[in-house]
């Protein structure tokens, strides 16, 4: 009977675990829908802002702003690069965190001396445990991304850029994709490639920028970069939750398989116990009959 009791205990444990994984799956799916809806509401504004930056580039007659990189000046760069790596705060999300970390390590190898800003506790813990240099004062969570948080991150990155502490800002994150596919991207935030704006059609309408194009451009760039960071945070967050949904769905499937095996083992043990009890009863009855005959 000890075997039956142990199997019943394991069945109960697996069922309790399945309840947890199923709840995590439902929570993750709800968070994905909410984050995507928030992103879609803000995307048109930042798309329009991107067009205005292109308009200001043409108005500036060549775009001599520090936010634009010209091909002939790329060899003159000497300051270290900067990477904003977006990971999760916790695991249980498949290979989501490991994929971002691998891409970040590849970036660090290609850019010696680069500065790494890690969003998410998982990434910070990994870099700390493996002795990888990162900005330890940069403590931002990956949960429930907001535009306010994106602006704070943007201010830190742009302050370092305008101060000349870095000559390039890249962002490493997982893009959710229109078809639900996920891929880790390494995207340039700053500086903008001047060639891309030169190829763009000059806007038909002319605008007067007050107090000046550089000052308006300063504000527009900060808003645009904040919007890009926000979109990356939301995309990464959606990917994290989607990976967690897949992981929890797989856990539910494994739990069903384990429960099926345990139920089969339980039935076999129960049948064996019943058979043993019947055998014992039959043997006892037979022994009693024999003893009675011998007594007669």
């Amino acid at each position: 009977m000890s075997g039956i009791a142990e199997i019943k205990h394991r069945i109960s444990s697996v069922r309790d675990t399945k309840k947890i994984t199923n709840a995590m799956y439902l929570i993750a799916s709800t968070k994905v829908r909410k984050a995507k809806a928030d992103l879609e509401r803000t995307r048109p504004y930042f798309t329009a802002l991107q067009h205005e930056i292109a308009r200001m580039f043409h108005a500036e007659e060549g775009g001599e702003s520090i936010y634009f990189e010209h091909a002939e000046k790329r060899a003159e760069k000497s300051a270290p690069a900067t990477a904003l790596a977006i990971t999760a705060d916790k695991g249980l999300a498949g290979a989501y965190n490991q994929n971002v970390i691998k891409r970040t390590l590849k970036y660090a190898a290609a850019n010696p001396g680069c500065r790494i800003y890690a969003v998410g506790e998982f990434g910070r813990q990994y870099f700390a445990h493996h002795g990888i240099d990162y900005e330890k004062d940069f403590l931002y969570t990956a949960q429930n991304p907001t535009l306010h948080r994106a602006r704070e991150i943007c201010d830190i990155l742009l302050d370092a850029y305008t101060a000349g502490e870095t000559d390039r800002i890249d962002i490493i994150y997982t893009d959710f994709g229109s078809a639900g596919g996920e891929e880790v991207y390494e995207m340039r935030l700053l500086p903008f490639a001047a060639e891309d704006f030169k190829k763009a059609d000059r806007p038909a309408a002319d605008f007067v920028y007050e107090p000046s194009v550089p000052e308006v451009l300063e504000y527009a760039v900060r808003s645009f970069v904040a919007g890009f960071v926000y979109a990356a945070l939301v995309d990464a967050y959606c990917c994290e939750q989607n990976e967690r949904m897949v992981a929890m769905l797989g856990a539910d499937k494994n739990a069903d398989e384990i429960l099926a095996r345990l139920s089969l083992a339980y039935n076999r043990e129960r049948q064996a116990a019943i058979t043993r009890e019947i055998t014992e009863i039959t043997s006892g009855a037979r022994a009693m009959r024999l003893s009675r005959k011998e007594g007669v």
Side-chain angles (χ1 to χ4, degrees), residues 169-206:
I169 301 175
D170 298 291
I171 184 168
I172 301 172
Y173 71 103
T174 310
D175 184 75
F176 193 63
S178 58
E182 300 176 9
E183 185 176 351
V184 179
Y185 281 103
E186 177 187 316
M187 302 290 291
R188 173 76 63 87
L189 277 179
L190 285 175
F192 302 130
E195 297 81 27
D196 295 339
F197 290 90
K198 289 178 180 178
K199 295 175 183 178
D201 294 334
R202 181 184 294 271
D206 292 328

Side-chain angles (χ1 to χ4, degrees), residues 64 92 109 150 172 176 185 206 219 228 258:
E64 294 300 326
L92 298 177
I172 301 172
F176 193 63
Y185 281 103
D206 292 328
Y219 177 81
F228 195 102
I258 293 173

Side-chain angles (χ1 to χ4, degrees), residues 82-98:
T82 294
L84 176 66
I86 302 176
T87 64
D89 288 331
K90 52 189 176 182
L92 298 177
Y96 169 79
N97 288 302
Q98 293 300 326

Side-chain angles (χ1 to χ4, degrees), residues 274-288:
I274 293 173
T275 301
R276 285 195 298 270
E277 290 178 359
I278 293 175
T279 301
E280 291 173 358
I281 292 172
T282 304
S283 299
R286 182 179 180 183
M288 290 179 64

Side-chain angles (χ1 to χ4, degrees), residues 14-15 17-18 21 250-260 262:
V14 173
R15 284 176 176 169
T17 302
K18 186 180 177 183
T21 57
D252 281 349
K253 183 178 179 180
N254 291 337
D256 289 336
E257 293 176 357
I258 293 173
L259 286 173
L262 289 175

